[in-house]
Amino acid sequence: MSRQSVNRLFAVVGRELTTVVRTRAFLALAGGFAAVVAVLAWTAGAVGYVPLVLDLLTPVEVLVPALALAFGYRSVLGDDERGELDVIRTYPVSRATFVLGVYLGRAAALLVALVVPLLGVALLVPAFGGVGTTVIASHAAMDSPLLYLRFVVLTAAFALVLMGAALAISTTAGTTRAGIVVAVALGVALVVGFDAGIVAGLAGGVVPEGALELVLALSPNSAFRGLVLETVVGGVESGAPAASPVASVLGLLLWLVGTLAVAVVTVWPESRR
């Protein structure tokens, strides 16, 4: 990438960050997520880092898709409806540079909204008795802040993948109403639909048990959950692997690359670049 392209990329990133920070909805959603995480951690009694992960895993699976889709579904759609996208197309900026800049700007804001509260509630663990887990007593000594930090990193990666999906919705939806419908439908599919389909497939014999690890990697939520259970909880819990880490990472990467590719192709026609 040339120096001019890099400068244009950072210009788009800066524009997007400014837009997000000035949006009241962003502040409300970020504050809501922080409040929910804090309440869950406090009421559960954070007696260890791994128990804290187990308490937060399911809420994070639900809230992160909601936040990512809410932050990103109008990122390009809003510019199009306001007529700003027509102006941007007259500038010497490629589709890929524009999409990547929008993605990086929105993703940076999303990561701040997620990572800061998650790191903050980790401070409750010493307040509730320090490191040590009552869930798996025989492995209490293996509970550590590093395991929780791994969970935060995986949550950030999960959010980055979903932001790509939100951006793809923003470039393909023709109107705000259509964007909302698609975002809600995708959110429901991520939280409930894919897992229900896997269970139905196993029950009906469509999905063989031997292929379960690969099938789980096809859904961002199940891939994220599998990585957490295998690389965070799995470090202190014996038993069969929750998922294939390699397959889960590849599944998340395919979602990220695929959705960003869709966004680049559909943001505006090639002939109008």
Side-chain angles (χ1 to χ4, degrees), residues 154 209-220 222-231 240-253:
L154 290 174
E209 291 188 13
L212 181 58
E213 291 184 351
L214 296 178
V215 174
L216 287 173
L218 298 178
S219 164
S222 58
F224 164 70
R225 185 191 315 120
L227 283 171
V228 171
L229 293 177
E230 177 62 18
T231 65
S244 167
V246 174
S248 297
V249 170
L250 289 177
L252 291 174
L253 284 175

Side-chain angles (χ1 to χ4, degrees), residues 6-78:
V6 172
N7 291 336
R8 293 164 186 159
L9 175 64
F10 280 113
V12 177
V13 173
R15 170 184 179 271
E16 209 61 33
L17 280 173
T18 301
T19 300
V20 172
V21 171
R22 291 178 177 176
T23 304
R24 293 181 180 179
F26 164 74
L27 299 176
L29 290 170
F33 177 79
V36 170
V37 168
V39 170
L40 288 173
W42 181 269
T43 56
V47 296
Y49 293 103
V50 171
L52 181 58
V53 169
L54 293 172
D55 290 332
L56 294 178
L57 179 56
T58 298
V60 163
E61 277 192 63
V62 176
L63 294 175
V64 170
L67 284 176
L69 293 171
F71 281 6
Y73 88 96
R74 292 196 77 249
S75 52
V76 176
L77 183 58

Side-chain angles (χ1 to χ4, degrees), residues 2 63 103 109 143 181 200 220 247 255-256 262:
S2 67
L63 294 175
Y103 172 78
D143 191 18
V181 170
W255 266 85
L256 178 60
V262 169

